[in-house]
Amino acid sequence: MKKCCIVLILCIALLMSPVAAEAADSAGYPSNTSYKGASAWALPELDKAKVYGLITDRIKENMSGNITREEFAEVIVKFYEIYTGKEAQTGNASFIDTTNPEILKAANLGLVQGNGDDIYAPYQLITREQMATILFRALKVICPDRDYSATGAVEFTDDSLINSWAREGVYYCSCAGITKGMENERTGTFKFDPAGNSSREAAVIVCKRAYELFMLGNAQANREDNVYNAGSSTDGEWSGGIIINDSEFRADEYAITEINNEDYIFLPYDRFKSVFIMPYTDYRYPETGIKDGKVTAAWKNKQGEINLEVIMSVGSPVVYINGQQGDITVGPYYKNDVLYVPINCFIELFSMKAEIFQGKLCLQYKDDFPQDILTGSWGYSNVSVYTGYKDIVTGLVSLPSFDFSYTFNSDGTYNLGMAGSGSYQQDALLLQTGKYRVIGNTIIFYDVYETLYKGSPLLLQYEKKYMGDRLEFTFIDDYDAEKNKIELNLSWYNRLQDK
């Protein structure tokens, strides 16, 4: 794994572009009333395409009809604008047989070309190889540094019919799973039918597949060169894991995509809901919801008043932060029925920093909780499990129904003790030692050794067992200086007298 400079690029523009406004208006949960005449097989993917905003007004009344060159130009421009968050420009492009601004935008971007003599032929049906080529050009404009080789692609049986100018796009789109050939079930071979026409629904679906492929991206392929910055940067070896506050994500549990040389992180909605904790408040976690294509997250105080509210729309780069409109470049999207939420704006709103620790990219609050306050012993009751119950295995001291205590040493080592008994659980005493690191409000435990006693009477299960590369986390929610108490993972602990 090569070294990567962790520089998280975060920005929120407070003015929304016209294309962003249009995408916001079109976002929302789809229904079949949003388009007509679709084939049954196409409905699941068309529903998502509608959420993304890829179904244009010109084609929505008859989705199974063949698509024209004009109609596909409108779809591909929509694809470009929604993906990039930028409004395409007509530039100096012109044709003698059309003034449709969407065609001119596509021509100005280099996505479409005329048929010679400044003729575009807008009403001519588009061929499958033309469609693959135009989509391929759009992908290269959006992400020019991506690997577009089609190594390993299976040759179509009608390969000789594919024009040389279309070959690269046809085989890349096929290799990437964006387009599909027609299978001969008897031989197991495929043909592409390059001169055949495409239905509107099929054209939208290939754009939808490309959108999802590039939004989710190949996270592992991109991860080597991903750069993150949230106020600080640290060189280090990154394994691909991410820790956000006290939540850890493996490389396959989140998504990263690059847009205009900036990287955006996406979390599954179900995990996103519990990641961004607001410390030192009555209610740490946000109230979240999904309705009509809108994703909301609101942090409230004890009186129910909103401290911070963020509203996003599926498929739209528009965000509303406490009612103020902004641009987050890329919005939430669906992938295999999972909703992914972009989190860059939350990282910036909470002023989070980034650094590498134990091969993980840690995104934490900017100011670390003071270690001099943390140093010492803290107990769920007023007794240290390590010292108060050390003789319980002899039976001289009774096991409590439940107790939990920490000792944080100034040299970066710690002790943890947890004891419990009762009719609903087996008696147990867990003793843990290791090292800790405070980053933001998160205590990360590592190099952990455990000793476990269990049963009645207590019997040693294992002693000083090394827990490998396992990391554990405790979040510091609050600190009461007057009462000398600290809140860890929503439980208050008393300051104990060290012995």
Side-chain angles (χ1 to χ4, degrees):
M1 179 68 67
K2 75 174 187 180
K3 278 194 173 183
C4 58
C5 177
I6 305 301
V7 186
L8 179 59
I9 304 171
L10 307 167
C11 60
I12 300 178
L14 295 180
L15 294 177
M16 184 176 70
S17 67
V19 62
E22 183 178 359
D25 291 340
S26 65
Y29 282 127
S31 66
N32 290 342
T33 60
S34 300
Y35 52 85
K36 300 177 183 178
S39 304
W41 64 265
L43 293 178
E45 290 192 273
L46 288 179
D47 281 350
K48 292 182 182 179
K50 178 59 182 177
V51 169
Y52 302 147
L54 293 172
I55 300 179
T56 60
D57 289 340
R58 193 183 298 272
I59 66 173
K60 68 181 182 180
E61 297 300 319
N62 181 16
M63 294 302 300
S64 61
N66 283 339
I67 193 166
T68 65
R69 285 167 54 82
E70 177 178 45
E71 291 165 347
F72 190 70
E74 293 178 340
V75 172
I76 202 67
V77 168
K78 183 69 68 177
F79 170 82
Y80 168 85
E81 292 182 332
I82 291 173
Y83 187 97
T84 64
K86 297 179 179 180
E87 185 177 19
Q89 304 298 317
T90 58
N92 297 321
S94 65
F95 297 100
I96 63 174
D97 59 346
T98 181
T99 58
N100 185 328
E102 303 307 300
I103 293 176
L104 302 184
K105 290 176 183 178
N108 187 52
L109 287 167
L111 311 184
V112 301
Q113 299 173 357
N115 289 343
D117 299 324
D118 294 327
I119 294 174
Y120 181 72
Y123 308 120
Q124 188 178 96
L125 297 180
I126 199 167
T127 66
R128 286 169 52 83
E129 67 178 1
Q130 288 172 347
M131 187 172 68
T133 298
I134 292 170
L135 179 56
F136 181 63
R137 290 170 183 162
L139 295 175
K140 294 182 75 173
V141 168
I142 290 170
C143 296
D145 297 328
R146 192 180 178 99
D147 180 8
Y148 290 98
S149 62
T151 304
V154 177
E155 185 175 292
F156 291 111
T157 56
D158 55 352
D159 175 80
S160 61
L161 301 180
I162 302 173
N163 281 297
S164 59
W165 51 263
R167 190 175 300 278
E168 188 179 12
V170 165
Y171 277 105
Y172 174 77
C173 289
S174 173
C175 187
I178 297 170
T179 59
K180 298 178 181 179
M182 285 148 279
E183 184 179 8
N184 183 322
E185 294 183 1
R186 184 178 60 83
T187 63
T189 57
F190 291 83
K191 71 174 184 177
F192 185 72
D193 188 20
N197 301 127
S198 173
S199 66
R200 291 162 171 165
E201 58 195 6
V204 169
I205 286 171
V206 297
C207 290
K208 170 259 181 190
R209 290 173 184 163
Y211 179 80
E212 290 183 337
L213 174 68
F214 272 56
M215 287 298 297
L216 181 59
N218 186 336
Q220 189 61 45
N222 291 339
R223 202 158 281 127
E224 291 281 346
D225 299 316
N226 277 336
V227 191
Y228 297 100
N229 174 359
S232 66
S233 62
T234 304
D235 288 336
E237 299 287 346
W238 183 25
S239 66
I242 292 179
I243 299 169
I244 307 174
N245 291 325
D246 59 353
S247 296
E248 183 174 9
F249 296 84
R250 300 189 310 267
D252 60 349
E253 294 179 318
Y254 63 94
I256 291 180
T257 192
E258 180 180 336
I259 301 175
N260 298 329
N261 297 318
E262 297 182 9
D263 294 280
Y264 295 84
I265 304 175
F266 297 80
L267 300 182
Y269 173 76
D270 287 342
R271 295 287 306 273
F272 154 77
K273 295 188 293 185
S274 59
V275 167
F276 291 97
I277 308 170
M278 185 177 286
Y280 315 116
T281 57
D282 295 312
Y283 296 98
R284 280 63 163 151
Y285 296 97
E287 291 184 7
T288 59
I290 309 172
K291 185 177 181 181
D292 297 330
K294 303 251 189 282
V295 180
T296 60
W299 288 260
K300 298 181 179 180
N301 61 23
K302 199 170 186 179
Q303 289 71 43
E305 300 166 331
I306 294 176
N307 291 324
L308 174 64
E309 182 180 53
V310 178
I311 301 175
M312 302 175 176
S313 293
V314 175
S316 169
V318 177
V319 66
Y320 291 91
I321 301 173
N322 287 346
Q324 187 174 13
Q325 186 172 297
D327 187 347
I328 51 174
T329 302
V330 59
Y333 69 97
Y334 280 96
K335 173 72 173 179
N336 296 331
D337 297 322
V338 176
L339 177 62
Y340 285 85
V341 179
I343 65 167
N344 287 44
C345 73
F346 295 99
I347 295 171
E348 181 163 328
L349 285 170
F350 284 95
S351 300
M352 301 180 85
K353 63 180 179 179
E355 65 177 85
I356 293 291
F357 177 71
Q358 295 286 305
K360 314 286 186 179
L361 172 61
C362 297
L363 297 171
Q364 303 289 342
Y365 292 110
K366 188 173 182 179
D367 296 324
D368 298 340
F369 187 84
Q371 190 163 336
D372 58 340
I373 293 177
L374 186 63
T375 300
S377 296
W378 304 88
Y380 186 75
S381 67
N382 290 310
V383 178
S384 168
V385 172
Y386 252 93
T387 58
Y389 303 111
K390 64 181 179 179
D391 293 325
I392 59 174
V393 292
T394 67
L396 298 177
V397 178
S398 299
L399 194 67
S401 59
F402 177 77
D403 211 345
F404 205 107
S405 63
Y406 293 95
T407 297
F408 298 100
N409 304 307
S410 57
D411 64 355
T413 61
Y414 79 96
N415 304 92
L416 177 149
M418 182 170 61
S421 66
S423 57
Y424 296 103
Q425 61 184 13
Q426 192 173 19
D427 293 358
L429 172 66
L430 177 69
L431 304 176
Q432 193 178 93
T433 62
K435 299 176 183 178
Y436 75 97
R437 169 81 180 276
V438 179
I439 307 179
N441 278 57
T442 301
I443 307 171
I444 303 177
F445 302 100
Y446 63 104
D447 283 351
V448 176
Y449 290 82
E450 284 186 353
T451 297
L452 175 66
Y453 294 89
K454 199 171 184 180
S456 299
L458 288 175
L459 297 175
L460 180 65
Q461 305 297 304
Y462 53 80
E463 185 175 15
K464 295 182 180 178
K465 178 181 178 181
Y466 182 56
M467 307 311 293
D469 58 358
R470 186 182 80 185
L471 301 180
E472 297 181 358
F473 311 94
T474 292
F475 191 79
I476 305 173
D477 296 282
D478 208 346
Y479 171 64
D480 189 326
E482 183 178 345
K483 295 181 180 180
N484 207 1
K485 298 175 68 174
I486 194 168
E487 189 176 14
L488 306 175
N489 286 350
L490 297 177
S491 295
W492 282 97
Y493 290 82
N494 304 297
R495 170 81 74 178
L496 303 178
Q497 296 298 319
D498 293 326
K499 295 182 181 180

